[in-house]
């Protein structure tokens, strides 16, 4: 029997008290697309970082084509033929594709003949794998989908035989996902091996031939993809059966409680990012805002929550004008009026990561009773409260005294959600509520949002996950280049149609 | 790429005790080299330092007197630093704080003594805070960096005080740049009087009840920074300004509050120096305590529990150092400025030089113990 191209034996790795990987054994055969699926915090990314040489395992061995290798740094793994396409691209924005790929690889400056040869090699690679990249274009002009291809091309050029893709579709439109999958299939046909890390079951079913499931740092199952289905995989991931479809009754619409009129917003660089946008939300309604990252959703959310200055236009909260050009309403006053905001970027905005968990659980509400009285923080009350909500929202580990940066992404998100939802807001602005959150928690978060809606809250859901927008929203707006380019009632729309709108095509 | 140490595995006592201690020892070794090059025996110098700062009661009292000053300026720096403001202006704020002490005390000296003291303390805080307010305002509203403006304000304070001490508030009966003395009744009781109660005779001691004020100030800072909503908001702004704005915490307001509290604490140095020691304003009385306070705070990791011992250490160096310069002709006062500089270098600028090695050393050792 041929030895597998990549074999991991008894890999262990722990961070502090948390064992991220426990006795991992994994065999990946050449010329396959192998899926690794698991909840966030299941240890997928840690494992792959070990394979890529970013971390070193506490114990265990890694072999490539039957030969044991020592990985001390990413350089070693590149030399062993392992290439990684990160979630966040490692490209120099103002360099061309060619410069980005050649840079730092040759170990010397590349001029003249050498550059010509490199260019020819790259062109050949592009043709073989139908990457369709113009080597002379500057990275900043390329869409996210193309940048990802540049990363793939970079790995190819460096001689990678094994490609690790970490959540590659998170930032792509459905059409871009299709293109990516085509490329991955053609890589496979040429005998390359692909390891696909994802938490999306659809991708696993679509693309992979084998799948390994991770849960709490362990591999809990290996199977041929053809022998399983989504429900079974989800159950394995979570360790119990999971509801993939939401139970949702039709919305009972109330009055308009939130209205945006001709809103225009600029970003920090004075570029207009939200252009004359108007919409309204009724109580008891979830309005989904779909769109590819960077089309103005971030700035819109910030303006609506009082963080960013409004250039022109008005915002009405229960018919009360709360913001206009002159009047930047401060987030705390909006909170008092019943508006809560779950920001898109939890680390940058939603949390102070150096704070202890209990300090973050009252963040923004810290001057309200019972958390503080006459400006003195009531630690014991805060901690009692924290324990309660951590229990309720299943934040792990349940230690209010732990520094927040030691929690996993999904648990950090739960800290924010529990804080913002606990005040039963009338209007809830939610950005990417389940980004980097595991399936079990997604189900939980979605159910909470529906419950809030049923209790009469008006919810604006901004998400780049189409599935999420589709499964939660009653009405959907699509944003492209700062404009609302489409409004659809959820029942009547397909993800294809939304995808085209998101790409600015329709 | 080095394999970074997993921070959560590092025991608190390694990063908070061992690392500063190693840095300190290294600084002292380098200092010993200086002394050796200057042609004196470093071991003898150490003996002199220890004798000078602990060996006899007068000396020990001096050590505590210096400690008092360093506690004030160290706390001052730490408070601003929790809001990520690098307040280098402690020197100037202390100077102006001293002006506040004198002006208040001389004008209300007819009141009952405890009330005079309280008002003088208020004067120190208000004047110090006011001097910090201007750079704070410029930082908050105009984005002028406090490092630059507070340095400039040290010079302005110094020039302003020279002007006042020469032309306005000088004791006109004499030529020196100092004011008239405050009435004797309102002077702070000193250690000399305290010792006399037990029948111990001391010739002179600058140590006075300001030391108790320094302890109280330490408690105040701890309470403010960790137990009140103001401290909470200051720390939030310091750690993550974006998140603070999201939570409705105003960075402007907190920058100004943090700087004013910082300046007020620095101003308290004026209490020790004027009510406790000189009993009048003497030109240049802050004498670098404001700057050394930065090192004290950095070494004490900006926590009162750390600042107090760090201030004590600098007190030992100041007092022991003067003993050394007295006994060793080759060692000048400036040599000890250099020693302080080396300590600041190792515990401040080079703070992280050996941290990774030390932390990974302990993490590996502890792991081994666990696995055995």
């Amino acid at each position: 029997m041929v030895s597998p191209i990549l074999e991991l034996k008894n890999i262990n790795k722990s961070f502090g008290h948390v064992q991220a990987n426990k006795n991992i054994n994994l065999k990946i055969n050449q010329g396959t697309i192998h899926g690794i699926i698991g909840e966030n915090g299941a240890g997928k990314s840690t494992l792959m970082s070990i394979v890529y040489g970013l971390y070193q395992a506490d114990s265990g061995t890694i072999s490539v084509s039957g030969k044991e290798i020592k990985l001390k740094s990413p350089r070693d793994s590149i030399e062993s033929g392992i290439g990684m396409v990160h979630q966040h691209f490692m490209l120099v924005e103002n360099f061309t594709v060619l410069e980005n790929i050649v840079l730092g690889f040759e170990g010397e400056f590349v001029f003249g003949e050498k550059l010509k040869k490199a260019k020819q090699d790259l062109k050949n690679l592009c043709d073989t794998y139908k990457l369709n990249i113009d080597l002379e274009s500057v990275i900043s002009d390329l869409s996210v989908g193309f940048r990802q291809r540049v990363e793939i091309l970079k790995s190819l050029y460096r001689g990678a035989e094994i490609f690790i893709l970490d959540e590659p579709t998170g930032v792509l439109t459905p059409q871009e996902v299709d293109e990516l999958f085509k490329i991955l299939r053609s890589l496979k046909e040429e005998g390359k091996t692909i390891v696909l890390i994802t938490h999306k079951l659809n991708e696993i079913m679509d693309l992979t031939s084998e799948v390994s499931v991770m849960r709490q740092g362990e591999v809990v199952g290996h199977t041929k993809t053809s022998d399983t289905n989504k429900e079974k995989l989800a159950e394995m991931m979570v360790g119990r059966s999971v509801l993939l479809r939401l139970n949702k009754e039709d919305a009972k619409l109330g009055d308009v409680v939130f209205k945006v009129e001709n809103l225009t917003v600029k970003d920090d660089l004075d570029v207009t990012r939200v252009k004359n946008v108007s919409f309204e939300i009724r109580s008891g309604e979830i309005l989904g805002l779909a769109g590819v990252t960077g089309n103005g959703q971030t700035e819109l959310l910030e303006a609506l929550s009082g963080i960013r200055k409004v250039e022109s236009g008005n915002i009405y909260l229960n018919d009360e004008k709360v913001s206009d050009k002159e009047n930047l309403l401060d987030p705390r006053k909006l909170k008092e009026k019943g508006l809560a905001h779950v920001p898109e970027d939890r680390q940058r905005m939603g949390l102070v990561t150096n704070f202890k968990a209990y300090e973050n659980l009252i963040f923004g509400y810290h001057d309200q009773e019972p958390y503080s009285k006459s400006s003195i923080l009531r630690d014991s009350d805060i901690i009692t409260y924290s324990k309660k909500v951590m229990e309720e929202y299943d934040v792990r580990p349940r230690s209010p005294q732990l520094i927040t940066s030691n929690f996993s992404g999904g648990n950090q998100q739960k800290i924010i959600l529990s804080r913002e939802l606990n005040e039963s807001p009338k209007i809830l602005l939610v950005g990417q509520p389940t980004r980097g959150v595991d399936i079990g928690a997604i189900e939980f978060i979605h159910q909470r949002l529906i419950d809030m809606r049923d209790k009469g809250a008006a919810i604006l859901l901004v998400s780049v996950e189409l599935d999420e927008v589709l499964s939660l929203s009653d009405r959907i707006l699509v944003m492209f280049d700062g404009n609302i380019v489409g409004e659809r009632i959820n029942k009547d729309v397909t993800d294809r149609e939304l995808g085209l709108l998101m790409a600015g095509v329709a | 790429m080095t394999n970074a140490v997993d921070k959560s595995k590092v025991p608190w006592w390694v990063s908070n005790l061992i690392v500063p201690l190693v840095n300190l020892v290294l600084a002292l070794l380098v200092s010993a080299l200086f002394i050796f090059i200057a042609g004196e025996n470093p071991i003898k110098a150490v003996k002199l330092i220890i004798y000078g700062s602990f060996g006899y009661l007068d000396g020990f009292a001096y050590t505590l007197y210096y400690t008092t000053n360093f506690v004030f300026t160290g706390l001052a720096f730490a408070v601003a630093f929790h809001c990520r403001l690098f307040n280098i202006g402690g020197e100037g704020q202390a100077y102006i704080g001293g002006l506040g002490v004198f002006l208040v005390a001389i004008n209300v000296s007819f009141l009952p003594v405890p009330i005079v003291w309280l008002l003088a303390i208020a004067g120190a805080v208000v004047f110090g805070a006011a001097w910090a307010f201007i750079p704070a305002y410029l930082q908050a509203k105009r984005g002028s960096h406090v490092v630059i403006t507070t340095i400039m304000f040290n010079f302005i304070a110094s020039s302003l005080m020279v002007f006042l001490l020469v032309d306005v508030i000088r004791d006109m009966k004499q030529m020196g740049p100092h004011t008239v003395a405050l009435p004797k009744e309102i002077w702070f009781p000193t250690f000399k009087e305290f010792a006399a109660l037990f029948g111990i005779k001391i010739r002179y001691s600058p140590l006075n009840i300001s030391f108790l004020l320094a302890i109280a100030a330490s408690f105040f800072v701890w309470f403010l920074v960790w137990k009140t909503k103001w401290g909470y908001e200051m720390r939030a702004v310091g750690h993550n300004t974006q998140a603070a704005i999201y939570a409705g915490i105003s960075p402007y307001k907190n920058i100004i509050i943090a700087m004013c509290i910082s300046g007020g604490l620095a101003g308290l140095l004026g209490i020790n120096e004027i009510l406790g020691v000189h009993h009048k304003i003497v030109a240049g009385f802050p004498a670098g305590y404001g700057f050394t306070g930065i090192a004290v705070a950095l070494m004490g990791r900006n926590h009162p529990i750390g600042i107090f011992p760090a201030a004590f250490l600098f007190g030992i160096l100041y007092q022991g150092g003067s003993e050394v310069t007295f006994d060793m002709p080759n060692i000048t006062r400036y040599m000890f400025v250099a020693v302080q500089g080396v300590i600041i270098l190792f515990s401040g600028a080079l703070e992280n030089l050996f941290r990774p090695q030390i932390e990974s050393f302990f993490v590996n050792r502890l792991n081994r113990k666990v696995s055995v």
Side-chain angles (χ1 to χ4, degrees), chain A residues 14-16 331-332 341 343 347-349 351-352 354-355 359 363-364 366-367 375-377 379 419-420, chain B residues 1 3 6 8-9 84 223 226-230 232-233 235-236 239-240 242-249:
Chain A
S14 53
F15 296 101
R332 197 173 294 183
H341 173 204
Q347 307 240 329
R348 190 173 64 90
M349 216 174 240
L351 294 166
V352 180
N354 317 46
F355 270 14
E359 290 179 303
F363 194 50
H366 56 275
D367 55 349
S375 298
I376 291 165
L377 299 175
D379 284 354
R419 178 182 76 206
E420 298 301 322
Chain B
M1 194 171 153
N3 204 2
D6 175 9
S8 62
K9 272 185 193 164
R84 284 299 174 275
F223 190 77
W226 282 278
K227 297 289 158 194
T228 68
K229 86 168 202 208
W230 300 295
Y232 178 93
E233 296 193 353
R235 286 184 292 129
H239 284 307
N240 187 345
Q242 286 270 0
I245 295 170
Y246 154 81
I249 297 168

Side-chain angles (χ1 to χ4, degrees), chain A residues 75 101-111 114 157-158:
Chain A
R75 192 166 285 269
I101 292 174
V102 174
L103 223 148
F105 173 62
E106 296 287 338
E108 53 185 300
F109 293 108
V110 182
F111 288 124
K114 266 191 164 167
Y157 182 65
R158 293 179 181 192

Side-chain angles (χ1 to χ4, degrees), chain B residues 80 199 268 295 345:
Chain B
L268 289 178
L345 191 68

